[in-house]
Amino acid sequence: MADLNSLQDLGAANVAETSAPVHVQKLDAHGRAYATGKRKDAVARVWVKPGSGKITVNDKNYVDYFARPVLQMVLQQPIVAASRDGQFDIVVTVAGGGLSGQAGAVRHGISRALTYYEPGLRSVLKKGGFLTRDSRTVERKKYGRAKARRSFQFSKR
């Protein structure tokens, strides 16, 4: 670090060091962007590469894996928001949790992988709230309770 002899030197040094982070493209040897998405207890590993728009989840088509239309819509939200429908092939492996948590994890992973492939999409996806990890998890069961908060049925006799 440079010699600081006065307060002006210190102020100039701080301004130079605290610039906005520059987001660069992160690709592996095969030209794919990789990201991990999480939601509840589900963890999704996502690979994004240019292609025809095919989405594969655990070696199945995403329509077959996520049968409910709501979950299919959740999965496609970041792609539609970034207006990249049909431009990327996405391969996902997801484990843990239930189907709803897995769909949220895949959505989170797709969003992160898209920003690694195209850093320009970051502002659009961040505005939509797709890059934020939903930190809500199941509350633990307490002793002396039927569930986390529910008490046993009260009886006078």
Side-chain angles (χ1 to χ4, degrees):
M1 191 161 180
D3 290 338
L4 301 176
N5 297 328
S6 67
L7 290 174
Q8 283 85 12
D9 294 342
L10 179 64
N14 280 345
V15 168
E17 288 176 13
T18 57
S19 61
V22 178
H23 298 285
V24 293
Q25 189 180 43
K26 297 178 190 170
L27 300 179
D28 64 4
H30 303 287
R32 304 174 301 186
Y34 168 79
T36 306
K38 296 181 180 180
R39 168 95 168 82
K40 292 186 176 181
D41 276 342
V43 179
R45 300 183 303 158
V46 180
W47 289 269
V48 170
K49 64 180 180 181
S52 59
K54 188 177 174 192
I55 302 174
T56 309
V57 179
N58 289 354
D59 297 325
K60 291 183 181 177
N61 189 357
Y62 81 102
V63 177
D64 299 332
Y65 192 84
F66 295 111
R68 279 186 273 164
V70 173
L71 299 180
Q72 295 170 18
M73 181 204 65
V74 164
L75 201 81
Q76 293 214 320
Q77 281 177 331
I79 302 164
V80 172
S83 61
R84 295 290 183 270
D85 208 6
Q87 295 182 22
F88 291 106
D89 283 345
I90 301 170
V91 178
V92 181
T93 57
V94 64
L99 282 178
S100 177
Q102 286 185 352
V106 172
R107 179 179 90 161
H108 185 225
I110 288 173
S111 306
R112 289 180 64 185
L114 282 173
T115 59
Y116 291 151
Y117 197 88
E118 269 188 73
L121 297 176
R122 184 172 170 81
S123 61
V124 174
L125 294 172
K126 192 147 179 70
K127 236 175 240 151
F130 302 123
L131 295 177
T132 307
R133 194 251 198 246
D134 191 349
S135 60
R136 295 176 296 169
T137 56
V138 178
E139 190 175 342
R140 78 172 187 87
K141 185 198 175 300
K142 297 1 173 257
Y143 56 87
R145 297 267 171 178
K147 293 167 65 178
R149 298 188 179 191
R150 193 199 181 309
S151 304
F152 295 112
Q153 184 171 342
F154 177 76
S155 170
K156 272 192 178 172
R157 291 179 196 84

